[in-house]
Amino acid sequence: LKHLSRNGKAILLITHDIDAALKTADKVAVFKDGLTVEIADSSDFRTPERLKHPYSRQLVEALPQNAFINAVNTKETIDHA
């Protein structure tokens, strides 16, 4: 996919695999309940504090390489975002 994008092709990747999206995309859109809650540079996801929406931060913190922080019992925080 990176090869295609380097050759002037636009790519739309729709996935539930946030890690794959971060490795592939320049920008990542986060959706929750059918709404776009954030569009950010993929580099912003390396520092969750740079993300504006709590749900975006929780997604990246819940990755295995981040020790699954906030992967459990996040309903309260997400519902109040």
Side-chain angles (χ1 to χ4, degrees), residues 18 27-31 36-40 45:
I18 189 82
K27 290 199 175 280
V28 174
V30 175
F31 293 85
T36 307
V37 294
E38 183 156 7
I39 299 173
F45 285 80

Side-chain angles (χ1 to χ4, degrees), residues 3-73:
H3 172 73
L4 290 172
S5 67
R6 279 187 228 117
N7 289 312
K9 306 290 184 208
I11 298 168
L12 175 63
L13 174 66
I14 300 171
T15 182
H16 286 99
D17 187 343
I18 189 82
D19 200 33
L22 295 176
K23 290 175 182 173
T24 306
D26 296 322
K27 290 199 175 280
V28 174
V30 175
F31 293 85
K32 182 183 177 300
D33 298 327
L35 300 172
T36 307
V37 294
E38 183 156 7
I39 299 173
D41 291 337
S42 59
S43 62
D44 290 345
F45 285 80
R46 291 187 197 108
T47 309
E49 296 80 27
R50 294 178 68 183
L51 299 169
K52 294 176 179 63
H53 198 277
Y55 186 65
S56 300
R57 289 190 296 272
Q58 289 173 339
L59 285 176
V60 75
E61 290 171 348
L63 292 171
Q65 62 266 35
N66 294 329
F68 301 106
I69 299 168
N70 288 327
V72 181
N73 297 324

